[in-house]
């Protein structure tokens, strides 16, 4: 290993430690998810200490639908561009690993400079929930592959699960506990939104909890009071940017200044 490779490895390890340490219940790490180098630079210019990608934002930028329709190589190349553009830790939304074996997944993600990853427990192509033991084994294999990757284990019980709200909550708690035991650093029960549910997740999962911020979700200050450790924006900022662009394009098509419309 060259001196440069050793220095890069040490720098990435330090970034992973920084990212992991920022998951503090009650003082959540806030992540306005990005999709390219320019949006990543904007996030760091605004003072945020970590850059996170969102798969539903990255995929359309690359010309694909979300749901692992984009080739793994193209997604990893985009993550690498983002990581090169900033000096802060980068964590990447990697859906369910794009079909890569755990060791290859970890090696290729590490090569991008990213030090964290989201991994979800439903099939990105069908939405079907993955068996909890199978997903826990996958997370354990990713952890055992090394590099100190910060794993954010997404739980899709509220997105793709079945049963009553109480049954989905119980499923999310059971899955979250299993993933923490397998080596995850944080649990991401996506689409959990009401304060009572979030409070129960924080109390019962027994580890850092990530909440997706969207309309109808408690404020960031309220999420902090509920004990949340991480707040993500998913593809929300990219979607809002596209709506803003559409408004400007409509103004142009009607013969108006797009800047007045903005």
């Amino acid at each position: 290993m060259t001196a440069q490779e050793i220095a890069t490895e040490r720098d990435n390890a330090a970034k992973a430690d920084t990212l992991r340490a920022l998951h503090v219940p009650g003082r959540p790490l806030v992540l306005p998810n990005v999709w390219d180098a320019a949006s990543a630079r904007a996030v760091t210019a605004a003072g945020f200490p970590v850059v996170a990608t969102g798969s539903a934002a990255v995929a359309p930028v690359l010309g694909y639908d979300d749901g692992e329709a984009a080739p793994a190589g193209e997604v990893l190349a985009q993550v690498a561009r983002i990581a090169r553009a900033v000096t802060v830790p980068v964590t990447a939304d990697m859906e369910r690993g794009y079909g890569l074996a755990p060791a290859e997944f970890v090696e290729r993600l590490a090569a991008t400079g990213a030090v964290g990853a989201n991994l979800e427990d439903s099939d990105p192509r069908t939405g079907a929930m993955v068996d909890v033991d199978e997903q826990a084994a996958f997370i354990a294999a990713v952890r055992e592959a090394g590099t100190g990757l910060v794993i954010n284990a997404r739980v899709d019980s509220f997105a793709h699960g079945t049963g009553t709200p109480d049954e989905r909550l119980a499923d999310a708690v059971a899955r979250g506990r299993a993933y923490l035991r397998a080596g995850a650093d944080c649990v991401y029960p996506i689409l959990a939104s009401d304060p009572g549910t979030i409070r129960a997740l924080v109390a019962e999962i027994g580890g850092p909890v990530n909440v997706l911020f969207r309309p109808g979700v408690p404020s960031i200050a309220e999420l902090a009071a509920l004990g949340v450790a991480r707040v993500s924006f998913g593809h929300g900022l990219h979607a809002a940017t596209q709506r803003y662009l559409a408004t400007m394009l409509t103004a142009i098509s009607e013969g108006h200044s797009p800047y007045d419309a903005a």
Side-chain angles (χ1 to χ4, degrees), residues 44-190:
T44 59
F48 292 94
V50 172
V51 163
T53 72
S55 69
V58 169
V61 168
L62 297 176
Y64 299 93
D65 292 331
D66 193 25
E68 292 193 351
E74 292 196 36
V75 173
L76 289 163
Q78 187 74 338
V79 173
R81 293 184 195 100
I82 290 167
R84 284 197 302 269
V86 298
T87 59
V88 301
V90 172
T91 180
D93 181 353
M94 295 304 294
E95 304 210 47
R96 199 166 178 269
Y98 293 86
L100 301 175
E104 181 184 2
F105 170 77
V106 170
E107 180 181 8
R108 292 180 68 179
L109 184 61
T112 69
V115 297
N118 281 14
L119 293 170
E120 59 199 54
D121 67 351
S122 63
D123 185 323
R125 294 169 174 81
T126 67
M129 295 294 291
V130 176
D131 177 79
V132 61
D133 292 333
E134 179 183 347
Q135 183 68 3
F138 175 62
I139 290 171
V142 170
R143 170 59 63 224
E144 290 165 8
T147 77
L149 185 72
V150 180
I151 301 171
N152 190 34
R154 202 178 93 176
V155 176
D156 286 357
S157 305
F158 299 106
H160 299 298
T162 59
T164 66
D166 285 346
E167 289 170 337
R168 292 190 184 205
L169 172 59
D171 184 62
V173 169
R175 286 174 176 271
R177 289 174 175 173
Y179 304 157
L180 289 173
R181 289 194 300 268
D185 298 281
C186 184
V187 175
Y188 184 13
I190 196 167

Side-chain angles (χ1 to χ4, degrees), residues 172-260:
V173 169
R175 286 174 176 271
R177 289 174 175 173
Y179 304 157
L180 289 173
R181 289 194 300 268
D185 298 281
C186 184
V187 175
Y188 184 13
I190 196 167
L191 301 190
S193 58
D194 71 89
T197 297
I198 294 169
R199 184 181 295 107
L201 290 165
V202 169
E204 297 179 30
I205 284 176
V209 171
N210 183 176
V211 169
L212 174 67
F213 190 88
R214 58 198 178 101
V217 169
S219 69
I220 292 174
E222 290 168 329
L223 291 174
L226 291 169
V228 170
R230 174 167 167 163
V231 178
S232 301
F233 281 73
H235 77 294
L237 298 180
H238 181 257
T241 301
Q242 294 303 300
R243 290 193 297 271
Y244 181 72
L245 174 61
T247 298
M248 297 182 77
L249 294 174
T250 297
I252 294 171
S253 72
E254 295 174 349
H256 307 303
S257 167
Y259 307 111
D260 292 339

